[in-house]
């Protein structure tokens, strides 16, 4: 896959204000059903998610960080996005980076390339 492939994955990372990790984590968990859900069930503005479905992986770290990996549906115009979290819960604003899926490391020495259709998409 070339370096100019359309981004279909978003890594979203945030650090909670001191003592606010549980509340920020609860806020993120509240947002995910709308971001991951089916088209038509989204209570957030359209620019927070692409057409179709996506998946989300949620991680926490000992230093009050939360990381969310959002993988958008094939053919989505851009990666799904989370809305801005409440500022009072943050040590600093979220950082986010779009990525394009390249492959999955499943076993030693094996990278499974992205599966594409006969037209290369």
């Amino acid at each position: 896959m070339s370096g100019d492939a359309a981004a279909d994955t978003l890594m979203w990372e945030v650090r909670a204000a001191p003592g606010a990790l549980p509340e920020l984590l609860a806020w993120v968990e509240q947002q995910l059903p709308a971001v991951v859900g089916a088209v038509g069930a989204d209570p957030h503005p359209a620019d927070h998610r692409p057409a179709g479905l996506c998946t989300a992986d949620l991680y926490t770290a000992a230093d009050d960080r939360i990381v969310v990996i959002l993988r958008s549906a094939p053919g989505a115009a851009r990666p799904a996005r989370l809305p801005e979290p409440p500022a009072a819960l943050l040590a600093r604003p979220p950082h986010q980076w779009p990525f394009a899926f390249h492959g999955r490391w499943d076993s030693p020495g094996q990278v499974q390339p992205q599966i594409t259709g006969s037209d290369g998409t």
Side-chain angles (χ1 to χ4, degrees), residues 104-112:
R104 175 170 286 135
W105 188 269
D106 285 333
S107 61
Q110 297 292 324
V111 173
Q112 302 299 318

Side-chain angles (χ1 to χ4, degrees), residues 53-87:
L53 301 172
C54 74
T55 62
D57 295 316
L58 179 59
Y59 301 87
T60 58
D63 61 353
D64 292 338
R65 290 182 196 270
I66 297 171
V67 172
V68 179
I69 306 294
L70 294 167
R71 291 178 185 89
S72 297
R78 65 186 185 292
R81 297 210 178 258
L82 287 166
E84 286 297 315

